[in-house]
Amino acid sequence: TGTPPPHLSPQPQKETPHNHLKCWVKTIMTSFRDLLVWKKADGLAHKVFDISDTFPSKYDHDLTDQLKRSALSIPQKIAEGWACFRPKEALGYLNISRRSLIQTQYLLLFAHRRNLISEQEFNEFHKRYEEANEMLIALIKSIRHKPFMLKPVP
């Protein structure tokens, strides 16, 4: 009685670079904090907060605030997507997360052009955001055609 139908049971999969994405199925993972893409986005948000705190105060109400909001939105929307029962709804949150990621990349580029962050810092951010973007795209593709999301059984 507690066994899911065969088409819902986890199937063995060959190793691929994106095997962690099967973990979006919530019977395998218990929290959004288990998602590798969320961990990466959360770490990047903390780094953005750290570096933007060094910006001159004249940027507080425009660049700094917007940069922090966009960086924080990335892991926040991934977490919100985790709470969804339907893939279409989850995809909406993941797409917002991806747009926030691109916005954050642009704001960091702008900060670099204003000499607020060094070339080395910008390149490191860019590399890490590209990795997060690839992971987010792969996650979106992995759930795009699922009929529903599974929730853990208590």
Side-chain angles (χ1 to χ4, degrees):
T1 57
T3 308
H7 67 284
L8 296 180
S9 298
Q11 301 297 316
Q13 296 181 355
K14 65 180 184 173
E15 269 312 298
T16 69
H18 302 294
N19 260 7
H20 68 280
L21 299 175
K22 67 184 175 189
C23 297
W24 189 259
V25 177
K26 294 179 179 103
T27 54
I28 297 172
M29 300 184 89
T30 59
S31 171
F32 63 85
R33 293 176 297 197
D34 295 327
L35 289 167
L36 296 177
V37 67
W38 179 86
K39 290 177 184 180
K40 170 134 344 239
D42 181 62
L44 286 166
H46 283 278
K47 288 195 173 292
V48 165
F49 267 65
D50 292 342
I51 201 159
S52 63
D53 283 342
T54 68
F55 294 175
S57 61
K58 70 180 184 178
Y59 293 103
D60 281 351
H61 300 294
D62 44 36
L63 178 62
T64 302
D65 288 346
Q66 187 60 38
L67 183 56
K68 286 180 176 182
R69 279 194 303 274
S70 67
L72 192 56
S73 176
I74 303 164
Q76 177 188 7
K77 296 304 176 189
I78 293 169
E80 285 185 73
W82 174 263
C84 298
F85 284 102
R86 298 191 190 320
K88 185 175 181 179
E89 185 181 4
L91 287 169
Y93 285 105
L94 294 176
N95 283 316
I96 293 169
S97 178
R98 185 163 179 271
R99 289 192 302 265
S100 294
L101 187 146
I102 301 304
Q103 180 183 25
T104 304
Q105 282 184 300
Y106 167 71
L107 292 169
L108 288 167
L109 175 62
F110 184 87
H112 171 60
R113 288 181 176 167
R114 302 291 301 174
N115 295 315
L116 300 172
I117 61 175
S118 71
E119 182 82 22
Q120 180 181 354
E121 289 169 320
F122 173 74
N123 288 337
E124 181 60 28
F125 272 116
H126 182 72
K127 176 184 170 199
R128 296 174 97 187
Y129 271 99
E130 285 300 312
E131 291 168 359
N133 189 39
E134 287 177 22
M135 293 172 77
L136 200 47
I137 289 169
L139 178 57
I140 289 167
K141 287 179 179 180
S142 78
I143 65 169
R144 184 171 283 148
H145 301 293
K146 291 189 182 307
F148 55 89
M149 305 296 284
L150 300 176
K151 295 290 182 184
V153 178

